[in-house]
Amino acid sequence: MRMIAYLLSAAATTAIVAPAFAQDVPTSQPEAQATATTTSGTAAGSVDAGQTPVAAAPLYSGNASDIVITATRRSERLSNVPIAVSAVGSAALENTGANDIRQATQLVPSLLISSTGSEANASARVRGIGTVGDNPGLESSVAVFIDGVYRSRTGSGLNDLGEVDRIEVLRGPQGTLSGRNATAGSINILTKLPSYKFGGYAEATYGNYNNVRIAGGLTGPIIADKLAFRLDGVFGKRDGYYYDVVNKTDYNDRNRYFVRGQLLFEPSSDVTVRLIGDYTHRDEKCCGAVYINTQEKIDPTPGVPGDFAINPAGNRIVQVMQSMGAVFPSAGDPYNRRIANSPGRAYSNVTTDYGGSGQIDINLGGASLTSITAYREYKSGGAGDIDYGNLDIAYRPDDGNSFRQFHTFSQEVRLNGSLFNDKLDWLVGGYYSKEDLVVADNLKFGTQYGAFAACRIVATINPAAALRNPANPGCLSAAGRAVLSGQVPGTTPAFGALTNTVLAGIDRLSTVNNVGDVRSTYYQDSENYAFFTHNIFKLTDKLSITGGLRYTHEAKDFHGDFNNNNAVCPVQQANLSPLLASAAVPAAVKTLVGGIVTLTCTGNSTTALNGLDLNNGFKEGEFTGTGVISYKPRTDTLLYASYSRGYKAGGYNLDRSDLTANVFSSPTNASAANLRFDPETVNAYEVGLKFTSKDFTFNVAGFRQEFKNFQLNTFNGTNFIVQNISTCDTSLNGADQDASSTTGACTGKTNYGVISQGFELEAGLFPAPNYSVNLGYTYTNTRFRNNLVGTESGQPLDAALFLLSGSNLSNAPKHTVTASTAWTPDIGHTGLTALFYVDGRMTSDYNTGSDLFPEKAQDGFFLMNARVGIRGPQQKWALEVWAQNLLDTNYQQVAFNAPFQGAGSQAQTQAFGTTANQIFTSYLAEPRTYGLTLRSRF
């Protein structure tokens, strides 16, 4: 019944009234221009080259299959490409209001994009698979290319893009077609080329939240038919949709501009040179988060697993915070979008992204040569109030010592052609890149951290508020210290002979204020080269086989320099850590002592780091490839089956917290190896069918993808860790689902630990030149297998991930339906046309947290965009009224544990009987926005 509901939602959307994804004719890219085509416009060597058409092509075709794409680095019609790919043309992007790649998700059901603590940390997922976490040491599972140039991380695609020709979303492993490899898919963005005909465009938008966006472009000849230019620019400014009740300012605002200049040089019919330079600047306050769950969960029936209850006495962590002046403006109503940052810590951050590229295409006669050379720099500031509350617990000051920066050089060369009377369409290529990544961090405990942490310990010992006083050493009131010391008649020292030692530790904890990293810097230098080939063998006019192979070599070097002034941590370790190794110390006291040390040294914040010289490096190589069988029984139908193997390089977790499993002792130089994680590989299988006619298209693909060493970045309550998820071939007897990080090692063989399987349906109806409908449905069962381990060598899974076994991955809904429809009727004989457009996306339930805690669950939801307008003759001008998230749907992007604010989830209470008082916060998606756009073309 639920699946029927999703399909009916698509029908309901189309019944209201988005154009065919590619009803406009795309601008050819240089690589497409260099490709030989048959008279029918079909790429030489493609499956239907030479076949007799079923019927003569009509003058009108609004069919999405008319779009020419270069996903295979050959100029081919979408319907002829035997891979799962969606192509969204410029008209569809314009109508859905897409200024960056996020809005493309409204039209591509297998794509999901979310951002977390900064838009620089965006993550793209295809078929439920993507990079989990925002650590820059992890490469993207979904590669992003803009005009053929690989962008180091997905966040660069969230910049304004100017005028885009089309966006191609390739699903499944990639690597035999272009420079950079990816395990889940790729997003290929192609911008408009310069033209030899003078022209341009301008548009202005005003909307709610004081949204102002001005964009324009100019193109034309410099030397007739030889040299042309193009210049695009965008300015955008908008108020934020959060309101900080403490600092009296809005949050998640927009304040950005973008410029791109191009030159197209064609000295002859055989040589094309395209030069591109672009610059993006953003100065924005991002990202705010609201409280979504502040309840404390307890076990009402100790010894009986599966149940939980809300503590009627309230959450002791909330009470501690309130006693220190904390406010929770979104408690009980997160979608009021009220937040509270510490006074003076509502920082904005500057992001700059710029670079240049040069593409040369040469027709050599029997082959075509393409060279793409690029250099890019990207820097994003990271100052912020990282506890997301007005209690000053932790922050990154705005002093220039918190940022992530990429310097990337890349060179790609491809040579392709045909042999044996077009029976063989061959492509060979090479790729080289050098990337220098610098992450600077100045994470500090706040001015109220010590009192808050000490109060947490005291509340854990006894929740009675009378025992606490945040203004006193150790957060102990006079009565509290007397009770714990055994000085009140009828009491005994709470910790026996160790009472004074424990209380001294709590007192020291309360002094940990405004200390941490002054500037700690992580360096990851990577060098990558690859050779690849992709060849189509045309066995008959109807049957073809494709073989692709790639070898990738990756080398990475890590170095870390630390400047940390937390001198309390080494003292705590010297005085308290020996107790943890003593058999004479009761288990309950050990747990408490461990908590004191952990809160003092959380994340390995210690002066002991300063004397270290952390270095590590590795080299790895991997063969990947693809094989495809494709068959066209007639020119309007394509059948195919494929196998692909993909690879994503290993790397380093650029976070000091993962140097050691706990903070009971200080890291050493040898600890650098603990930051390394292994490469991720995937074996993927797919079958598909594509049908196209002048007024109807239908595509279906079934897939199964098996990921080994799946790279998962998560917070385990103490550290930000990266684990390589695999499965043990022998039963672990539930040890991967217990509360211990030391049980569940695999003594047998390990295998793939993540499966993504399902099917995709896409349909388009084009009954008239001015009316079109597109429908999409994706069913994806992306889940972890059972008997999970944390590395290929069989190390136990971290206890914080006990819910993973047999469960769906985060941000991987099973059902996604998209629908779009557009009607552009003529208005009499005036030359004017109207636009009626609507699109929708319905998503089923999913969990937004990598640990799958139930507090982070997101119910299914439906999003709708709409646009109504009037356009002048030949669309020389247009006036449009639009809305995004028209129904003002409330939903979240990613929920997470509020830093330092409690521990434990409802799931742990149900499974292990522990008390869970963790406070949960969330990054919400945007509310309804609407406005008016005026555009002109000349």
Side-chain angles (χ1 to χ4, degrees):
M1 291 299 294
R2 176 171 288 190
M3 183 180 295
I4 293 174
Y6 291 127
L7 295 175
L8 287 175
S9 73
T13 303
T14 57
I16 302 174
V17 234
F21 282 178
Q23 64 183 21
D24 52 330
V25 178
T27 304
S28 298
Q29 296 296 317
E31 63 264 33
Q33 295 169 351
T35 304
T37 60
T38 67
T39 56
S40 66
T42 303
S46 65
V47 182
D48 66 348
Q51 290 196 68
T52 302
V54 174
L59 293 177
Y60 151 70
S61 177
N63 194 318
S65 67
D66 283 343
I67 193 168
V68 176
I69 66 171
T70 53
T72 61
R73 298 306 185 252
R74 303 163 174 91
S75 179
E76 294 184 276
R77 285 159 46 189
L78 180 62
S79 58
N80 293 334
V81 179
I83 58 175
V85 54
S86 298
V88 185
S90 58
L93 292 168
E94 187 175 277
N95 285 338
T96 197
N99 300 323
D100 54 47
I101 62 175
R102 275 177 300 194
Q103 283 85 6
T105 61
Q106 282 293 105
L107 305 175
V108 183
S110 295
L111 177 66
L112 177 67
I113 297 174
S114 59
S115 57
T116 54
S118 163
E119 288 198 346
N121 304 336
S123 177
R125 291 172 172 83
V126 172
R127 294 173 171 172
I129 296 294
T131 298
V132 179
D134 60 10
N135 191 301
L138 282 81
E139 297 178 1
S140 300
S141 297
V142 180
V144 175
F145 298 87
I146 301 180
D147 292 320
V149 177
Y150 171 70
R151 299 300 179 93
S152 294
R153 300 298 182 267
T154 306
S156 61
L158 296 188
N159 293 333
D160 274 287
L161 299 171
E163 202 168 31
V164 173
D165 184 79
R166 66 188 182 276
I167 296 177
E168 302 170 355
V169 180
L170 285 73
R171 307 189 286 274
Q174 306 296 322
T176 64
L177 292 167
S178 60
R180 196 66 181 184
N181 49 289
T183 52
S186 66
I187 301 172
N188 190 23
I189 302 167
L190 298 108
T191 64
K192 293 281 190 180
L193 276 168
S195 171
Y196 291 114
K197 182 179 179 181
F198 184 80
Y201 77 99
E203 67 176 58
T205 294
Y206 182 78
N208 61 332
Y209 295 97
N210 289 316
N211 178 25
V212 175
R213 185 177 187 270
I214 300 172
L218 192 65
T219 187
I222 299 176
I223 301 175
D225 299 324
K226 295 291 184 183
L227 181 63
F229 78 95
R230 183 179 181 96
L231 182 65
D232 291 90
V234 180
F235 168 80
K237 191 175 180 64
R238 187 203 69 193
D239 294 341
Y241 52 84
Y242 292 111
Y243 182 71
D244 183 344
V245 300
V246 172
N247 292 283
K248 308 300 181 184
T249 185
D250 58 310
Y251 233 72
N252 284 51
D253 63 330
R254 290 234 171 137
N255 183 17
R256 58 182 63 176
Y257 63 86
F258 161 81
V259 291
R260 178 175 60 239
Q262 300 185 62
L263 290 174
L264 180 64
F265 179 48
E266 295 181 293
S268 72
S269 60
D270 294 324
V271 178
T272 299
V273 179
R274 185 185 186 188
L275 302 178
I276 305 175
D278 65 89
Y279 180 87
T280 296
H281 181 275
R282 292 157 47 175
D283 186 0
E284 300 169 347
K285 299 189 292 292
C286 182
C287 295
V290 296
Y291 291 100
I292 58 169
N293 190 306
T294 59
Q295 298 171 322
E296 181 168 299
K297 296 90 179 178
I298 58 175
D299 184 359
T301 56
V304 180
D307 59 351
F308 77 98
I310 303 302
N311 190 344
N315 188 331
R316 69 195 73 187
I317 301 300
V318 172
Q319 293 164 357
V320 165
M321 296 175 67
Q322 290 174 329
S323 73
M324 298 179 65
V327 296
F328 297 83
S330 63
D333 183 16
Y335 292 98
N336 67 15
R337 303 180 189 272
R338 300 279 173 167
I339 63 174
N341 285 317
S342 299
R345 303 220 194 281
Y347 299 134
S348 66
N349 284 291
V350 172
T351 297
T352 56
D353 182 5
Y354 57 92
S357 65
Q359 177 169 331
I360 303 173
D361 295 276
I362 304 175
N363 183 356
L364 301 176
S368 297
L369 176 69
T370 296
S371 170
I372 304 176
T373 307
Y375 177 78
R376 301 207 59 83
E377 293 193 9
Y378 178 93
K379 184 176 182 180
S380 177
D385 185 5
I386 67 107
D387 58 68
Y388 300 94
N390 70 306
L391 201 64
D392 192 14
I393 298 175
Y395 70 104
R396 289 185 169 96
D398 190 18
D399 59 6
N401 289 318
S402 176
F403 60 84
R404 55 185 61 184
Q405 185 173 38
F406 295 88
H407 296 254
T408 308
F409 170 81
S410 63
Q411 173 66 56
E412 179 176 350
V413 177
R414 299 191 304 269
L415 188 67
N416 69 287
S418 60
L419 294 172
F420 313 121
N421 295 321
D422 294 338
K423 296 292 185 182
L424 170 63
D425 186 354
W426 57 270
L427 181 150
V428 295
Y431 178 76
Y432 172 82
S433 71
K434 188 177 189 306
E435 178 181 277
D436 296 332
L437 167 60
V438 180
V439 176
D441 201 1
N442 57 0
L443 176 61
K444 287 182 170 61
F445 297 118
T447 56
Q448 294 176 283
Y449 175 81
F452 167 72
C455 287
R456 268 192 65 179
I457 293 294
V458 176
T460 300
I461 297 170
N462 190 319
L467 302 182
R468 302 191 304 268
N469 184 343
N472 286 354
C475 188
L476 284 168
S477 65
R481 189 173 294 273
V483 169
L484 295 184
S485 300
Q487 297 174 357
V488 174
T491 65
T492 58
F495 313 109
L498 297 174
T499 297
N500 289 338
T501 301
V502 172
L503 294 182
I506 299 174
D507 289 345
R508 284 190 295 268
L509 174 59
S510 66
T511 67
V512 182
N513 297 307
N514 213 30
V515 295
D517 289 331
V518 177
R519 173 167 171 156
S520 294
T521 312
Y522 307 83
Y523 302 89
Q524 179 179 277
D525 299 333
S526 62
E527 195 168 18
N528 170 293
Y529 65 81
F531 304 99
F532 53 91
T533 181
H534 188 90
N535 307 287
I536 303 172
F537 302 88
K538 185 178 178 184
L539 301 180
T540 71
D541 287 344
K542 298 182 177 182
L543 180 65
S544 294
I545 61 173
T546 300
L549 184 66
R550 178 189 182 97
Y551 175 76
T552 304
H553 179 272
E554 187 85 32
K556 291 186 177 179
D557 292 304
F558 166 79
H559 175 66
D561 290 325
F562 295 93
N563 183 0
N564 187 291
N565 60 8
N566 181 6
V568 183
C569 175
V571 177
Q572 295 281 58
Q573 290 171 333
N575 285 273
L576 298 180
S577 291
L579 302 180
L580 300 173
S582 172
V585 177
V589 176
K590 285 185 178 181
T591 300
L592 184 66
V593 168
I596 296 171
V597 177
T598 297
L599 288 173
T600 306
C601 309
T602 289
N604 281 307
S605 177
T606 173
T607 54
L609 292 172
N610 300 342
L612 298 182
D613 183 21
L614 294 179
N615 293 282
N616 200 264
F618 69 87
K619 296 179 180 179
E620 61 189 29
E622 186 77 23
F623 280 99
T624 55
T626 187
V628 184
I629 300 176
S630 54
Y631 178 66
K632 294 203 76 168
R634 41 188 283 151
T635 55
D636 58 8
T637 305
L638 171 67
L639 304 171
Y640 68 91
S642 69
Y643 162 79
S644 298
R645 179 170 175 82
Y647 154 82
K648 184 173 76 165
Y652 293 92
N653 179 9
L654 304 182
D655 193 302
R656 53 175 161 77
S657 69
D658 205 15
L659 285 167
T660 55
N662 56 58
V663 294
F664 302 150
S665 59
S666 298
T668 66
N669 286 333
S671 302
N674 296 333
L675 300 180
R676 181 181 167 184
F677 53 87
D678 293 329
E680 174 182 299
T681 57
V682 57
N683 291 316
Y685 311 86
E686 184 172 316
V687 294
L689 176 149
K690 295 186 177 185
F691 172 81
T692 182
S693 67
K694 70 181 182 65
D695 53 12
F696 178 68
T697 61
F698 179 73
N699 301 330
V700 59
F703 59 90
R704 178 181 172 91
Q705 302 174 132
E706 301 167 347
F707 290 82
K708 187 175 184 180
N709 277 346
F710 180 76
Q711 297 169 359
L712 185 144
N713 182 207
T714 192
F715 179 68
N716 67 1
T718 303
N719 299 341
F720 288 92
I721 62 171
V722 177
Q723 291 216 297
N724 287 107
I725 306 299
S726 296
T727 189
C728 186
D729 282 350
T730 57
S731 175
L732 298 178
N733 297 315
D736 58 339
Q737 302 175 62
D738 62 17
S740 172
S741 296
T742 60
T743 60
C746 180
T747 57
K749 294 182 179 179
T750 59
N751 209 329
Y752 60 92
V754 171
I755 297 174
S756 173
Q757 59 187 4
F759 61 89
E760 299 157 327
L761 305 175
E762 295 176 319
L765 294 87
F766 317 98
N770 59 10
Y771 185 69
S772 57
V773 175
N774 282 278
L775 301 171
Y777 171 66
T778 295
Y779 170 78
T780 304
N781 184 8
T782 304
R783 60 181 176 84
F784 296 100
R785 298 180 73 196
N786 296 317
N787 301 306
L788 298 180
V789 291
T791 64
E792 186 177 18
S793 61
Q795 294 181 9
L797 189 71
D798 191 277
L801 304 177
F802 75 100
L803 290 176
L804 268 55
S805 184
S807 300
N808 276 24
L809 270 70
S810 62
N811 293 285
K814 281 192 174 183
H815 305 279
T816 305
V817 177
T818 60
S820 60
T821 183
W823 184 34
T824 55
D826 294 331
I827 302 177
H829 300 286
T830 63
L832 303 179
T833 57
L835 168 68
F836 300 95
Y837 168 90
V838 66
D839 66 45
R841 177 184 175 102
M842 174 166 278
T843 301
S844 64
D845 304 349
Y846 59 93
N847 196 295
T848 67
S850 55
D851 50 21
L852 304 182
F853 285 173
E855 292 90 345
K856 303 175 183 180
Q858 170 62 54
D859 291 336
F861 59 92
F862 177 68
L863 290 179
M864 180 183 290
N865 298 333
R867 186 173 295 255
V868 177
I870 183 171
R871 295 171 173 178
Q874 300 178 340
Q875 297 192 25
K876 289 186 176 181
W877 60 266
L879 181 65
E880 298 169 354
V881 178
W882 54 267
Q884 291 183 301
N885 190 4
L886 176 64
L887 304 180
D888 203 19
T889 300
N890 289 328
Y891 68 103
Q892 59 188 345
Q893 294 193 87
V894 176
F896 59 100
N897 300 18
F900 307 108
Q901 295 161 56
S905 161
Q906 166 193 316
Q908 289 162 318
T909 300
Q910 292 175 287
F912 312 124
T914 56
T915 295
N917 51 35
Q918 175 66 56
I919 297 172
F920 293 91
T921 41
S922 180
Y923 303 114
L924 302 181
E926 294 186 4
R928 174 171 51 217
T929 55
Y930 51 85
L932 180 72
T933 295
L934 174 65
R935 60 170 57 95
S936 174
R937 292 189 178 277
F938 55 90

